[in-house]
Amino acid sequence: MTGPETKAAVEWLTSVAPDPSACRWEWERNLQGIALLPAGRRWDVLILPGELGYPTLDVLTRLIDRPGPVLADFGESRMGFFVPPGTVSRWIGTGIRGCGQGTWIVVPYPGRATGGVRWLVPPDGSGALTDPALLELAMHEAAGAAGGVRAEGRRPGRRPEG
């Protein structure tokens, strides 16, 4: 991601900062290439465990050409899907965390590798976000597929250990 698309993505992301120009200045000069930005203004972020997030992203990319921005940590343990503001206040799900009004998230500079987080789907600057209903559908399909794989691995008549 370079040129005008990167500039548009930077403008869109920093527009939520208390001081966008100071945020841009720090972001572009910070060796780590990260910024702490408030959620709940232009987007909320739904954070899924990686074992659900990656299959969910696979399903989403089969359903639509390009989902909204998606972050992942380098440990592959969590993924953050950018959704419309207000989504997390209406979302309930085991193992899913939400960042909305009053929370802050670590955001990498678009197109740059960082030490802790990376873009799986970088923002394009248009403000496009993942539709929560579509995300929920993709999560159900991904979880169902994972459940089917585990069930097939059991022998009939045996109870799972645990």
Side-chain angles (χ1 to χ4, degrees):
M1 189 165 107
T2 60
E5 192 173 307
T6 299
K7 183 177 178 171
V10 167
E11 294 298 320
W12 180 70
L13 288 166
T14 60
S15 69
V16 301
D19 183 347
S21 52
C23 178
R24 254 188 321 279
W25 187 90
E26 178 63 29
W27 206 358
E28 292 169 357
R29 285 157 186 80
N30 181 335
L31 294 177
Q32 293 181 3
I34 58 172
L36 193 58
L37 296 174
R41 293 183 183 168
R42 290 193 184 257
W43 63 79
D44 284 358
V45 181
L46 286 176
I47 301 172
L48 281 59
E51 60 271 5
L52 177 59
Y54 282 97
T56 297
L57 183 57
D58 288 343
V59 172
L60 269 177
T61 55
R62 282 196 324 260
L63 297 173
I64 56 176
D65 289 333
R66 188 177 196 283
V70 180
L71 288 172
D73 65 2
F74 276 110
E76 308 294 325
S77 62
R78 289 178 300 280
M79 291 177 63
F81 291 80
F82 281 52
V83 293
T87 298
V88 300
S89 65
R90 299 181 307 270
W91 197 279
I92 299 173
T94 303
I96 299 170
R97 295 189 335 220
C99 296
Q101 191 68 39
T103 62
W104 294 71
I105 60 168
V106 173
V107 179
Y109 188 91
R112 231 185 254 167
T114 67
V117 294
R118 63 192 168 104
W119 291 107
L120 295 177
V121 179
D124 61 7
S126 71
L129 301 167
T130 298
D131 178 270
L134 194 56
L135 178 59
E136 184 176 13
L137 176 71
M139 287 171 57
H140 284 287
E141 185 175 322
V149 169
R150 282 195 302 269
E152 291 169 11
R154 291 190 212 131
R155 289 191 285 173
R158 289 194 57 177
R159 289 186 185 186
E161 294 181 29

